[in-house]
Amino acid sequence: MQHLADVEVYSVRTLREALELLSSVKGLRVIAGGTDLIVQLKTGVVPKTNLLDVSRVDELRYVRFEDGILRIGALTTFMEIYRSELVRRHAPLLAEAAFTVGSFQIMNKGTIGGNIVNASPAADSLPPLYVLNAELKIVGPRGERFVRIQDFYKGYKKLDLMADELVAEVRIRPPGEGYVGHFFKHGLRRGDAIAVVNGAVLLMLSPEGIVRDARVALGAVAPTVVRSPSSERVLVGSRLSPEVMWRAAEAVVNDISPIDDVRGSAAYRRELSVNYVFMTLYRIARETGVVA
Ligand SMILES: Cc1cc2nc3c(=O)[nH]c(=O)nc-3n(C[C@H](O)[C@H](O)[C@H](O)COP(=O)(O)OP(=O)(O)OC[C@H]3O[C@@H](n4cnc5c(N)ncnc54)[C@H](O)[C@@H]3O)c2cc1C
C-alpha cells in the first residue's frame, strides 16, 4: 500500500487555471471524484504523482440541452445524471446506467469524465455513450477539439488525450422519434458491483415492428467497449421476432474477445452477453408491442 502523505495537491476553481497548471507543472495528474484514482494510487496500480484537483471547477458541472444537443459537463456526478430530467428525456439509457454505478456514495462522488478517462472496459457509462454516438469535447492549450467516443479509445487504457488536455464535456444528439433502448449489467451481486458484462441496445422500429436502425454495444468483453456489427446486421430490416432476436443475440460472440479474470471466465462472459442481448431485445419488443 502506497502512502500518499507527501503527494502535493493543486486545487483550482476555473478551467483556465487547470489548463495553465497542466501545461506548466510536469507530471500532474487530474483528480475529479477520486473514486478510481485514489484506489489506484494507494494500491500502486498508478505510480505516485502530484495531483490537480478539479473537483471544484463548477463550470464543468452541468446538464444542458442547447441547439438540439444534450451537453453534460465532465464533472457531473452519476447522481446528478441519474436525477436529471434532461438526461431521462433525451438519453434515458444513460440514466439507467448511472443508477448502477457503485453505491449512492460512489454515485455522489464519481463523475462521468472520470468514468470515461479511467477507461475501464467495464465502465457503465460507456455502452450507452457508444450506442448514442456521443462525442467528447476535449480542451487544452491548443484550443478545443471533438472526438467520437469510439475513436477516443485506441486500445486497453490507450486514449486520444494528451497529458495537458482535459475532457470537458460529453455531447449527445438525441436519436429522435421511434428509438427505444435499454442498458443492461450483470454483476456478482445486486448492488455496488463492477460489471462482469454490461451493454446497451438501441433500436429504431417501424410501426410494423421492422428494425430500421440497430445499435448494440457491450462492455467487459474486450480491451475496450465494442459495438456488435454482426448482431446489428441480423436486426436491421427484420421484424423483431423471437427467432431474429436469438440470431442477433448469438451473433454478438463474433465481435467480442472476453478474457478469464476474477469476476468470471471468458466462456461465462460469452454466455452472459448472448443472454443479456436477447433479454434486452425481448424487453424492447414487449414494450413496443411487437411481441405479446
Ligand atoms: C466501491 C467502488 C464501486 C464502483 N462501482 C462502479 C460501477 O459500478 N460502475 C462503474 O462504471 N464504475 C465504478 N467504480 C469506478 C468509479 O467510481 C467510476 O469510474 C467513476 O466514474 C470515476 O470518476 P471519478 O470522478 O471518481 O474519477 P477519478 O478517480 O477522479 O479519475 C479517474 C481517472 O480519470 C482522470 N480524469 C478524471 N476527470 C478527468 C477529466 N475531466 N479530464 C481528464 N482526465 C480526467 C483521472 O486523472 C484518472 O486517471 C467504482 C469505484 C469504487 C471505488
Side-chain angles (χ1 to χ4, degrees):
M1 195 64 86
Q2 284 195 115
H3 291 283
L4 305 179
D6 55 341
V7 166
E8 279 184 48
V9 181
Y10 295 72
S11 283
V12 289
R13 296 276 189 159
T14 67
L15 179 57
R16 207 174 132 197
E17 282 177 285
L19 292 176
E20 273 169 15
L21 279 169
L22 272 184
S23 294
S24 57
V25 182
K26 262 209 162 336
L28 270 191
R29 184 145 193 159
V30 171
I31 183 161
T35 59
D36 276 316
L37 191 54
I38 293 295
V39 179
Q40 292 162 356
L41 282 168
K42 283 192 166 171
T43 52
V45 171
V46 165
K48 201 149 80 170
T49 178
N50 292 336
L51 300 175
L52 175 65
D53 177 9
V54 295
S55 62
R56 286 179 296 171
V57 179
D58 291 336
E59 65 196 280
L60 293 183
R61 176 172 294 122
Y62 55 85
V63 179
R64 291 188 204 123
F65 190 72
E66 282 167 11
D67 305 325
I69 298 173
L70 181 68
R71 296 153 197 258
I72 305 175
L75 287 180
T76 310
T77 66
F78 283 108
M79 187 60 89
E80 289 161 340
I81 289 172
Y82 170 64
R83 287 189 166 163
S84 162
E85 280 302 320
L86 287 173
V87 176
R88 288 179 185 209
R89 188 172 334 139
H90 298 294
L93 287 102
L94 185 59
E96 286 178 16
F99 189 62
T100 75
V101 176
S103 54
F104 288 161
Q105 289 89 336
I106 296 293
M107 284 174 69
N108 279 329
K109 290 296 279 181
T111 64
I112 191 162
N115 200 238
I116 290 167
V117 177
N118 183 59
S120 162
D124 287 319
S125 71
L126 295 182
L129 295 181
Y130 269 59
V131 298
L132 290 163
N133 290 331
E135 220 178 40
L136 303 179
K137 177 173 147 186
I138 293 170
V139 294
R142 294 160 297 281
E144 60 183 46
R145 62 192 179 93
F146 295 87
V147 181
R148 280 170 9 121
I149 189 86
Q150 34 274 76
D151 299 332
F152 186 63
Y153 299 101
K154 302 290 179 198
Y156 178 69
K157 299 226 174 201
K158 289 203 178 73
L159 307 179
D160 178 3
L161 186 73
M162 308 288 282
D164 56 3
E165 290 180 317
L166 280 168
V167 172
E169 185 178 89
V170 179
R171 293 185 165 195
I172 297 167
R173 255 173 223 286
E177 286 299 306
Y179 276 88
V180 193
H182 285 296
F183 169 76
F184 63 80
K185 172 173 178 176
H186 185 86
L188 292 181
R189 51 179 185 247
R190 290 194 75 172
D192 201 3
I194 304 290
V196 183
V197 167
N198 59 9
V201 177
L202 184 64
L203 302 182
M204 214 279 235
L205 293 168
S206 74
E208 302 76 38
I210 308 292
V211 181
R212 297 285 178 226
D213 186 18
R215 306 179 198 169
V216 178
L218 289 125
V221 288
T224 65
V225 170
V226 289
R227 285 274 292 265
S228 176
S230 308
S231 178
E232 293 168 0
R233 269 197 301 274
V234 173
L235 290 164
V236 172
S238 300
R239 189 164 191 283
L240 207 52
S241 65
E243 188 264 331
V244 164
M245 291 189 267
W246 263 122
R247 276 202 290 122
E250 282 173 338
V252 299
V253 297
N254 299 324
D255 303 315
I256 61 178
S257 48
I259 53 166
D260 300 328
D261 73 7
V262 285
R263 293 194 190 89
S265 66
Y268 181 50
R269 286 192 157 94
R270 268 191 290 273
E271 210 161 306
L272 284 175
S273 301
V274 171
N275 284 312
Y276 270 90
V277 169
F278 177 77
M279 288 191 291
T280 309
L281 288 168
Y282 203 88
R283 182 177 172 192
I284 294 170
R286 281 190 73 153
E287 282 174 358
T288 52
V290 180
V291 298

